[in-house]
Amino acid sequence: MLKGQLITLDEFTIQETRKFPQATGELSSLLRDIALAGKLINKQVRKAGLSDILGAQGTSNIQGEEQMKLDVLADETLIHVLKNSTDCAGIASEENDDHVCFEDTVSTNSKYVVLFDPLDGSSNIDVNASIGTIFSIYRRVSPIGQPCTIEDFLQPGNKLMAAGYIIYGSSTMMVYATKLGVNGFTLEPSIGEFCLSHPNMKCPENGKIYSLNQGNTVKYSAGLKAYLEYCMESNKAEGRPYSHRYIGSMVGDLHRTLIKGGIFMYPADSSSPNGKLRLQYECNPMTFIVQAAGGTGSTGTMDVLDVQPTELHQRVPIYIGSKNMVAKAIAMAHAPETV
Ligand code: AHG
Ligand code: MN
Ligand code: MN
């Protein structure tokens, strides 16, 4: 049974645009294009076991990671849709070495660029667990009327206009944030529309779940090990021990964190001083979303959104989720005597 009146993503973004008389509707139109790419990727994901798209592509991306067939397919789909969009001047993708500037007249006259992780959680593709697409939208800093430039893509997260993700889980959802807040839309498959299902999402200030790859503990700092001990300690009044959940798909783990509260971490360790996750494709968009919902995201030493990117594929450590849990984790993991 459907609840109440259905509001589609398009209707919602148009209503939001009307709150700003000077808005041109270009951002709504771009979100519609990204939603279209999401629906096309969703179509492939839903029949993945039946068609020949499971498994490895046989190639590596710039970060030396093995590409799955679905990584490549999702990447091609987003590029195709955004190239045809009337509102995108260029893109940068986790799966490609360099950014791409679209050089046709419509694109050079567009004011936005889009960055994306086309398929997040690749290791989950073959086992039918949640995967996702993460996107970021920046207003370009290069002059309109000319092709975009690398500077458009190296803006800090605090300059984001919007960011979001599409999660291909037990249902398919698109969640996007602007500075106005975070809203979630569930794909109604029979009409092929994302419909508002999670208005004004808020990340609880506290939670009871911690999420990280605990198999790496041997490589963590003494402070972080102490925090993990704290998570596992029994303290009824504070609701500990916390539960541990880790899907291995940032989108999946953070979607849960956004709804239920908790903390997600991909910290630095002795072999990866910058952690694993990518600033421009994963950490910035997810931090923007979580902060717009009242949570927070930090590298351990600074707000993720304040990191000035110096190259497209750089990595940063991340602690993200419920405000109070992130503060506690950082206080322990980055205490001067334990780092
Ligand atoms: P991607 O599939 O886009 O390469 O990202 C995978 C990321 C992230 O989604 C997840 O949280 C993390 O890698 C898992 O890494 P580990 O297997 O090292 O825990
Ligand atoms: Mn990813
Ligand atoms: Mn990916």
Side-chain angles (χ1 to χ4, degrees):
M1 198 179 14
L2 288 172
K3 35 177 195 182
Q5 184 206 350
L6 281 187
I7 301 176
T8 66
L9 175 72
D10 283 1
E11 287 167 342
F12 182 85
T13 55
I14 291 165
Q15 281 170 18
E16 291 286 289
T17 305
R18 289 203 182 124
K19 292 181 186 163
F20 299 93
Q22 75 283 14
T24 57
E26 285 159 277
L27 187 60
S28 311
S29 160
L30 190 49
L31 285 165
R32 181 165 55 235
D33 293 331
I34 293 169
L36 170 64
K39 285 188 245 182
L40 291 167
I41 297 167
N42 180 63
K43 196 176 126 199
Q44 300 295 339
V45 169
R46 293 294 165 212
K47 60 176 186 186
L50 298 172
S51 55
D52 185 27
I53 52 167
L54 291 181
Q57 173 84 1
T59 49
S60 299
N61 65 16
I62 182 161
Q63 296 150 83
E65 296 162 341
E66 181 183 54
Q67 289 179 303
M68 307 298 280
K69 288 181 192 166
L70 215 48
D71 283 324
V72 176
L73 207 114
D75 188 45
E76 288 171 356
T77 303
L78 276 153
I79 295 175
H80 177 79
V81 169
L82 290 170
K83 197 170 182 340
N84 286 324
S85 164
T86 52
D87 300 291
C88 182
I91 61 98
S93 161
E94 182 189 88
E95 296 301 333
N96 300 317
D97 301 7
D98 295 315
H99 65 289
V100 180
C101 294
F102 303 138
E103 304 219 332
D104 58 284
T105 317
V106 173
S107 300
T108 52
N109 281 311
S110 303
K111 64 178 182 214
Y112 296 115
V113 294
V114 182
L115 289 85
F116 49 83
D117 174 355
L119 219 289
D120 176 68
S122 305
S123 62
N124 281 327
I125 296 172
D126 287 1
V127 298
N128 206 349
S130 291
I131 49 179
T133 296
I134 309 173
F135 62 90
S136 300
I137 302 176
Y138 288 94
R139 190 191 289 264
R140 56 192 288 199
V141 288
S142 59
I144 296 203
Q146 293 172 24
C148 59
T149 64
I150 182 72
E151 282 71 34
D152 298 324
F153 299 93
L154 294 181
Q155 300 188 59
N158 56 32
K159 294 275 195 273
L160 275 163
M161 295 297 296
Y165 58 82
I166 297 150
I167 179 166
Y168 314 103
S170 43
S171 64
T172 298
M173 274 187 75
M174 176 158 161
V175 172
Y176 86 87
T178 62
K179 292 215 166 88
L180 292 179
V182 186
N183 291 281
F185 303 81
T186 300
L187 184 64
E188 214 301 9
S190 65
I191 56 170
E193 293 279 5
F194 284 104
C195 298
L196 185 63
S197 53
H198 294 60
N200 198 18
M201 295 172 83
K202 295 285 175 215
C203 179
E205 286 192 352
N206 292 298
K208 293 185 173 175
I209 300 173
Y210 71 106
S211 185
L212 86 170
N213 188 338
Q214 205 152 350
N216 290 331
T217 301
V218 67
K219 297 192 271 177
Y220 293 152
S221 68
L224 183 54
K225 284 181 188 155
Y227 176 66
L228 298 181
E229 287 294 328
Y230 166 86
C231 292
M232 293 183 284
E233 253 166 37
S234 184
N235 184 324
K236 232 178 175 179
E238 292 177 27
R240 286 184 281 132
Y242 298 146
S243 292
H244 176 253
R245 301 269 185 277
Y246 188 69
I247 303 173
S249 149
M250 189 191 200
V251 168
D253 282 311
L254 275 177
H255 186 64
R256 179 196 62 244
T257 305
L258 195 58
I259 292 173
K260 292 194 165 181
I263 181 168
F264 172 86
M265 297 163 272
Y266 211 111
D269 65 40
S270 56
S271 55
S272 313
N274 295 318
K276 173 184 181 187
L277 300 178
R278 278 97 353 173
L279 174 64
Q280 289 302 69
Y281 308 113
E282 293 164 326
C283 298
N284 265 334
M286 289 314 224
T287 301
F288 182 84
I289 298 163
V290 168
Q291 287 194 3
T296 194
S298 167
T299 64
T301 53
M302 66 189 290
D303 187 327
V304 170
L305 300 185
D306 291 335
V307 177
Q308 175 60 54
T310 51
E311 52 120 357
L312 274 180
H313 298 280
Q314 83 192 64
R315 299 169 197 260
V316 287
I318 189 164
Y319 300 78
I320 179 171
S322 295
K323 254 187 182 154
N324 295 339
M325 289 183 84
V326 171
K328 179 73 182 173
I330 293 172
M332 291 187 73
H334 289 262
E337 67 276 15
T338 59
V339 178

